[in-house]
Amino acid sequence: WSSGTTTETSNYYGVANGDNVFAAVGNVDILRSTDNGSNWTTITTANLRDVAFGNSTFVACGANGAVYESANGSSWTSRTSGASGNTLNGITFGNNLFFAVGSSGTLIKSTDNGTNWDTSPDPTVTTNLYSIAYGNNIFLAVGSNTVIASTDNTGSAFGIKATTYTFEDVTFGNGVFVAVGYKIIYTSTDGVSWTQVYGE
């Protein structure tokens, strides 16, 4: 690992890459790098928690339902998410959809690259959701004693898959979801059956 050049001292929570641009978001600023993370430029002020890239668009989410979208990581536009009052902790892109999750079971969906948001997908949970990923034709979100997943790749309906795990983050690759939490790592293909691959 090499330390990139930046004068920032704030906390940063999320980073994404698209079209040869890295965008990083934190509790104060959005940063942008066009040289593989060696140098970073402060773009704008925003209190954000995560960022994803899809359809040539960056979409970031954060405190008080904040959502920002950008076509190049340089110019960002604030959008209304309908989730005011809730912190949006995680965001993902899949099947031409952006999904963001957050506090009190917040789950919102955008079909137009982050411009407009649908708050109707009801995960039937009220606990905090921290992260969401897309794979195996489903959207899967994790949180406090909660794992939920969509019934199909449209994300029109979600169901609770597990209530015994607290995961902080989840991602998908090589056919499996990998979720991490406090001193634990688990894998799953469907969100229902989980295999512990690391833990104390």
Side-chain angles (χ1 to χ4, degrees):
W1 291 90
S2 299
S3 178
T5 301
T6 177
T7 59
E8 293 299 324
T9 58
S10 306
N11 292 325
Y12 288 88
Y13 303 110
V15 64
N17 176 266
D19 291 341
N20 297 314
V21 173
F22 281 95
V25 299
N27 64 335
V28 175
D29 297 314
I30 299 174
L31 301 180
R32 179 177 186 261
S33 173
T34 57
D35 58 2
N36 293 326
S38 294
N39 295 283
W40 295 84
T41 302
T42 302
I43 302 303
T44 189
T45 300
N47 188 353
L48 303 171
R49 295 295 181 271
D50 200 11
V51 59
F53 183 84
N55 281 344
S56 299
T57 307
F58 289 98
V59 181
C61 64
N64 199 28
V67 171
Y68 285 74
E69 60 90 11
S70 173
N72 54 20
S74 180
S75 176
W76 293 79
T77 302
S78 176
R79 302 296 186 185
T80 300
S81 70
S84 179
N86 292 295
T87 298
L88 297 172
N89 298 310
I91 190 167
T92 195
F93 176 82
N95 194 33
N96 292 314
L97 303 168
F98 281 95
F99 267 91
V101 297
S103 58
S104 302
T106 302
L107 175 68
I108 60 175
K109 173 174 74 172
S110 175
T111 60
D112 57 4
N113 295 335
T115 300
N116 296 288
W117 292 85
D118 179 3
T119 59
S120 64
D122 180 11
T124 67
V125 299
T126 57
T127 57
N128 293 334
L129 297 171
Y130 301 128
S131 181
I132 186 168
Y134 177 77
N136 287 344
N137 292 313
I138 61 171
F139 291 90
L140 185 142
V142 299
S144 179
N145 293 313
T146 302
V147 175
I148 63 171
S150 63
T151 55
D152 58 28
N153 63 2
T154 69
S156 57
F158 279 73
I160 298 173
K161 302 302 179 183
T163 58
T164 57
Y165 307 105
T166 294
F167 296 127
E168 300 288 337
D169 201 5
V170 63
T171 193
F172 180 85
N174 293 332
V176 297
F177 292 96
V178 177
V180 296
Y182 181 68
K183 297 183 178 181
I184 56 170
I185 301 174
Y186 280 74
T187 62
S188 175
T189 58
D190 58 6
V192 178
S193 300
W194 290 88
T195 300
Q196 185 172 347
V197 294
Y198 176 82
E200 293 184 0

